[in-house]
Amino acid sequence: MKGKVAIITGSSRGIGAATAKLLAGRGAKVIVNYASNASAAENVVASIRENGGEAAALQADARNAEQMNGLVSETASRFGTVDILVHNAGMNFVQKSFEDMSWEEFIQKTNDELQAAFVSTKAVLPFMKKQKSGKLVYVSSGLGNHAAPLFISHGTSKGALNSFVRYIAQEFGGAGITANIVSPGMVDTDATASIPEAFKQQQAGRLPLGRIGQPADIARAIAFYASEDSSYLTGTYLPVSGGGEM
């Protein structure tokens, strides 16, 4: 990935941070995007630079077109272009049963999820079309395919994201741009820190590989799609779940 330029939304922690470090370690120039946690983003940048990589932290709400267009323009000003977009920005959602949930609570997650994917993709496409190449990678969730109690808003939003990506892949394949989905199962991050350890171990025991995921596991799958090794793959869905989606 030497010389490639990557924007990773929501990369101040968790899967995004692991991805930023991995891509930088393989030679990419990385933009560490964050919404509000500047210190965490700067820590990721510092780690990359300490290991000889190039990176910068830029603030933008992935749902906000003006902010994302500004981020992409700043990226091109610093590094010349944009080769890779990893859509990883996480959106909050309400965990309730369908019976207890209002329409506004339900649709908020899908609206935020798709708006962020739409806006981020729209912002980078002019650069990718001009150079006739680009890698779009979207982080989804196995809950888009397999229902779990209280996750109806989250799962529905990720199912919609999966459909969105296939349409992007179809429309822009002729321009040399690929769009693919990485779908984690349960991953040991800040987002799952509140889940009791006993439950995590119970879930791990049901997986063929016997453990829940680590951010680095997901980052390596993202790196595959961001590299030329995946040049003949587009519109695909890759579960990274230790065999949990079999």
Side-chain angles (χ1 to χ4, degrees), residues 14-15 18 183-190 192 197 200-201 203-205 207 209-220 240-244:
I15 292 169
S183 181
M186 184 179 288
V187 182
D188 191 14
T189 67
D190 291 349
T192 60
E197 188 62 30
K200 291 180 182 178
Q201 292 304 315
Q203 295 301 303
L207 298 175
L209 294 186
R211 65 176 179 85
I212 66 171
Q214 295 297 316
D217 295 316
I218 317 305
R220 283 190 285 267
V240 187
S241 57

Side-chain angles (χ1 to χ4, degrees), residues 9 15 84-89 113-114 116-122 124-125 128 135-141 158 161-169 172 177-184 218 221-222 225-226 234-238 240:
T9 63
I15 292 169
I84 300 159
L85 169 70
V86 179
H87 167 66
N88 172 72
E113 186 78 45
L114 292 185
F118 183 99
V119 164
S120 300
T121 304
K122 192 86 110 169
V124 301
L125 277 174
M128 294 182 175
K135 299 285 187 176
L136 303 170
V137 188
Y138 301 81
V139 180
S140 185
S141 168
K158 292 300 189 181
L161 175 67
N162 296 344
S163 182
F164 170 82
V165 175
R166 289 190 287 270
Y167 277 91
I168 295 298
F172 296 101
I177 299 167
T178 62
N180 292 288
I181 302 158
V182 170
S183 181
I218 317 305
I222 293 170
Y225 276 134
T234 196
T236 68
Y237 174 91
L238 178 63
V240 187

Side-chain angles (χ1 to χ4, degrees), residues 3 17 33 45 108 122 143 158 221 229 231:
N33 163 248
V45 170
Q108 165 264 316
K122 192 86 110 169
L143 292 169
K158 292 300 189 181
D229 289 342
S231 60

Side-chain angles (χ1 to χ4, degrees), residues 15-233:
I15 292 169
T19 301
K21 292 174 184 177
L22 181 59
L23 298 192
R26 295 184 179 183
K29 301 171 185 179
V30 174
I31 294 297
V32 177
N33 163 248
Y34 66 96
S36 59
N37 196 338
S39 61
E42 291 294 350
N43 287 340
V44 175
V45 170
S47 175
I48 289 170
R49 290 175 177 169
E50 286 168 8
N51 287 283
E54 283 191 72
L58 293 179
Q59 190 279 333
D61 183 332
R63 300 165 296 182
N64 185 299
E66 183 178 357
Q67 292 182 21
M68 282 304 298
N69 286 334
L71 180 145
V72 172
S73 294
E74 177 65 18
T75 300
S77 176
R78 288 173 181 247
F79 296 139
T81 189
V82 180
D83 300 292
I84 300 159
L85 169 70
V86 179
H87 167 66
N88 172 72
M91 303 296 155
N92 294 328
F93 60 95
V94 173
Q95 293 186 46
K96 287 184 178 180
S97 69
F98 176 72
E99 277 196 310
D100 292 337
M101 184 174 290
S102 69
W103 168 251
E104 289 73 22
E105 290 171 329
F106 171 74
I107 202 62
Q108 165 264 316
K109 168 66 170 171
T110 298
N111 184 73
D112 287 351
E113 186 78 45
L114 292 185
Q115 188 171 20
F118 183 99
V119 164
S120 300
T121 304
K122 192 86 110 169
V124 301
L125 277 174
F127 294 92
M128 294 182 175
K129 287 177 68 180
K130 183 177 180 180
Q131 64 198 19
K132 294 182 170 59
S133 67
K135 299 285 187 176
L136 303 170
V137 188
Y138 301 81
V139 180
S140 185
S141 168
L143 292 169
N145 284 337
H146 301 278
L150 308 184
F151 280 86
I152 186 170
S153 64
H154 178 65
T156 300
S157 76
K158 292 300 189 181
L161 175 67
N162 296 344
S163 182
F164 170 82
V165 175
R166 289 190 287 270
Y167 277 91
I168 295 298
Q170 189 278 330
E171 184 169 345
F172 296 101
I177 299 167
T178 62
N180 292 288
I181 302 158
V182 170
S183 181
M186 184 179 288
V187 182
D188 191 14
T189 67
D190 291 349
T192 60
S194 63
I195 297 175
E197 188 62 30
F199 180 80
K200 291 180 182 178
Q201 292 304 315
Q202 181 187 50
Q203 295 301 303
R206 296 175 178 173
L207 298 175
L209 294 186
R211 65 176 179 85
I212 66 171
Q214 295 297 316
D217 295 316
I218 317 305
R220 283 190 285 267
I222 293 170
F224 167 68
Y225 276 134
S227 77
E228 291 306 309
D229 289 342
S230 64
S231 60
Y232 198 56
L233 293 175

